[in-house]
Amino acid sequence: MTTTRLPARAAIASVADPGSFAELPAPRPESPPDGPLTWAGYDDSRARAAARTGEQESLVTGTARFGGREATVVSFEFGFLGGSLGERTGDLLEAAHTHAREHRLPLVSLVATGGSRMQEGMLALTQLQRVARQCVLTRAAGLAQIAVLRDPTTGGGWATLGAGADVVLALPGAQVGFAGSRVRPADADPAAYCAEGQYAAGHVDAVVPPAELPATLAGWLRLLGAPGADGTAGPVAPPAALACVPPPETGWDAVLQARHPDRPRAEAYLDSYFGLRLPLSGDRAGGRDPGVLCGFGLREGRPVAYAAQCGTATRPAGYRTAARVVRLADRLGIPVLTLVDTPGAANDAAAEHAGAGPAIADAFAALAGATVPVTSLLIGEGGSGGALALAAPGNTWVTPDSYFSVIAPELAAAILKRPPQAAPATADQLRIRPQDLVALGVARGIVEPGAQTAQASETT
């Protein structure tokens, strides 16, 4: 499957509101004859590329609206020397980032590049440092960066504007990888160098068909690019309980209710809570955990970040993805909602090799360091530190069909050298029921069905 290689301006027109693009003034294109290396024929190559594409460089920059929301946009012209980065490209990218910061606009990058420009040698390669610096400054300014990976996205363009963006979207079938097709090993697995492979490895948030891309970009700018997004407005209310069940009579009843196969899960809670919801996927370190749903949504017009466990043992990639989302929300001033539901962290050998301990530590640190308000709701099993890592200190709520325990009652009984049949009695001793958690001060209250506030048992 291949992706149509649209020219830079056509790529902008395919996703932006009609007629909304306004080009930014380009810095003066000054360079010595045949460039900094006096590469014979370089000027002729640039002249032919300009005649063929109608562009003076491999990048078009400007502003455009996406679903009515303005953003700075940069779009690569692959027909101009393979969309390669040279000194002039660096000038254009720096000017675009500067404009974004001066006008408080998010930045959308439509990437299609073969990497650094050979005819400019190391001066072309050092543009990556320059681009990275601009991305860091824009990030520090609290502005979102969204990348769309077109075909191809390779080399430094992938390793800076692409992979370094807050949200990374890719077109189906696009070639995506640091190594381009002419320099990778002959026996390399081609699946590792495409959009779908990068998504599977946790480096791309979503593979989006071209017809869906305009609405997806508009949605992301609505969630991350709204002026005045401010986490200081206070925490969001926890979701309402979705199960109409009374609090359990015993600790073992709490365990059985939380483990019931028909109990409402994270997907149902997120669907009922948010109007618009867009996912972020992957830990950017080679892993994905389908048992942790992460992203941003709109709750009564307010952007909210979310990280939700789905009832499975959470893998290291899940914790790292959740930490990534919490830190992004913190930087953009967006409140966070976490849904806690796991029997515990994955404890197999693969999880240990993938860094279970450091990943859990990272999640604890992300929540502990957040300056935006975080709200947590325990919706099922709360198994040990693997669950606590996603629970907000001082603002965790519980549903009637949930429990939280230092460890599963069966394992607690085993550790205490009790027989398996002692697990129910051990559950009672552990005081793991929702009402116990409120009484102990671990939870603020028990949420009720059909309401977004906790019942009168709240402890404040």
Side-chain angles (χ1 to χ4, degrees):
M1 182 178 183
T2 59
T3 301
T4 302
R5 290 180 176 176
L6 293 176
R9 295 176 193 272
I12 295 172
S14 72
V15 293
D17 297 351
S20 67
F21 176 68
E23 190 167 3
L24 290 174
R28 292 186 62 187
E30 296 180 355
S31 66
D34 281 332
L37 304 185
T38 61
W39 186 289
Y42 182 33
D43 282 349
D44 290 340
S45 296
R46 285 192 290 195
R48 288 193 298 271
R52 183 170 57 251
T53 64
E55 305 297 346
Q56 296 303 307
E57 245 308 324
S58 60
L59 194 74
V60 173
T61 66
T63 60
R65 291 190 298 276
F66 301 81
R69 296 187 180 274
E70 189 175 7
T72 302
V73 60
V74 301
S75 182
F76 281 77
E77 176 54 69
F78 190 77
F80 193 105
L81 302 181
S84 55
L85 283 78
E87 286 188 294
R88 291 181 182 176
T89 325
D91 291 340
L92 290 165
L93 285 168
E94 182 174 293
H97 274 271
T98 299
H99 181 88
R101 293 192 296 270
E102 289 177 347
H103 295 270
R104 304 296 302 163
L105 295 175
L107 189 136
V108 175
S109 300
L110 308 178
V111 188
T113 173
S116 300
R117 191 166 300 170
M118 300 299 99
Q119 297 91 333
E120 296 185 21
M122 277 302 300
L123 289 178
L125 188 65
T126 59
Q127 299 307 304
L128 303 184
Q129 296 172 321
R130 188 178 179 190
V131 172
R133 175 62 177 165
Q134 292 304 311
C135 292
V136 166
L137 292 174
T138 301
R139 187 177 299 118
L143 300 170
Q145 299 175 65
I146 303 171
V148 177
L149 312 182
R150 298 153 58 208
D151 185 37
T153 297
T154 61
W158 165 228
T160 51
L161 289 172
D166 300 314
V167 179
V168 181
L169 310 175
L171 291 172
Q175 179 187 173
V176 179
F178 185 65
S181 59
R182 298 184 182 182
V183 297
R184 67 183 65 139
D187 60 349
D189 178 8
Y193 301 90
C194 68
E196 290 78 5
Q198 297 286 358
Y199 171 77
H203 305 306
V204 166
D205 289 306
V207 178
V208 184
E212 298 176 14
L213 192 54
T216 301
L217 280 173
W220 274 115
L221 289 171
R222 188 179 178 190
L223 290 169
L224 304 185
D230 186 1
T232 63
V236 296
L242 296 182
C244 295
V245 297
E249 293 185 6
T250 68
W252 192 244
D253 289 337
V255 172
L256 295 178
Q257 284 191 169
R259 294 178 180 173
H260 195 284
D262 296 331
R263 172 181 58 78
R265 306 284 168 156
E267 190 96 39
Y269 275 95
L270 294 173
D271 286 344
S272 69
Y273 193 76
F274 292 115
L276 169 69
R277 177 164 64 91
L278 292 173
L280 292 177
S281 177
D283 64 357
R284 303 286 178 87
R288 291 178 62 244
D289 182 359
V292 179
L293 303 177
C294 294
F296 287 76
L298 277 185
R299 173 66 185 171
E300 298 176 345
R302 186 183 186 189
V304 180
Y306 65 86
Q309 293 170 314
C310 298
T312 57
T314 303
R315 307 204 65 80
Y319 293 112
R320 285 192 287 262
T321 306
R324 171 193 158 205
V325 170
V326 170
R327 290 192 174 103
L328 174 58
D330 198 42
R331 178 160 55 80
L332 298 178
I334 296 174
V336 177
L337 169 71
T338 67
L339 301 180
V340 179
D341 185 9
T342 180
N347 59 6
D348 53 47
E352 294 296 342
H353 284 307
I360 295 170
D362 193 38
F364 270 117
L367 263 69
T371 59
V372 293
V374 182
T375 300
S376 296
L377 177 64
L378 176 67
I379 63 172
E381 290 196 81
S384 193
L388 191 67
L390 291 190
N395 197 29
T396 293
W397 305 75
V398 293
T399 62
D401 51 349
S402 67
Y403 80 89
F404 219 141
S405 180
V406 64
I407 197 168
E410 300 95 325
L411 299 179
I415 291 171
L416 296 172
K417 299 182 179 181
R418 296 175 178 178
Q421 56 268 32
T426 304
D428 282 334
Q429 287 182 287
L430 289 170
R431 297 187 66 187
I432 62 178
R433 300 175 304 165
Q435 57 269 44
D436 295 327
L437 299 173
V438 175
L440 290 169
V442 174
R444 288 188 59 181
I446 303 173
V447 297
E448 298 176 339
Q452 296 303 330
T453 57
Q455 65 180 32
S457 58
E458 175 185 3
T459 59
T460 56

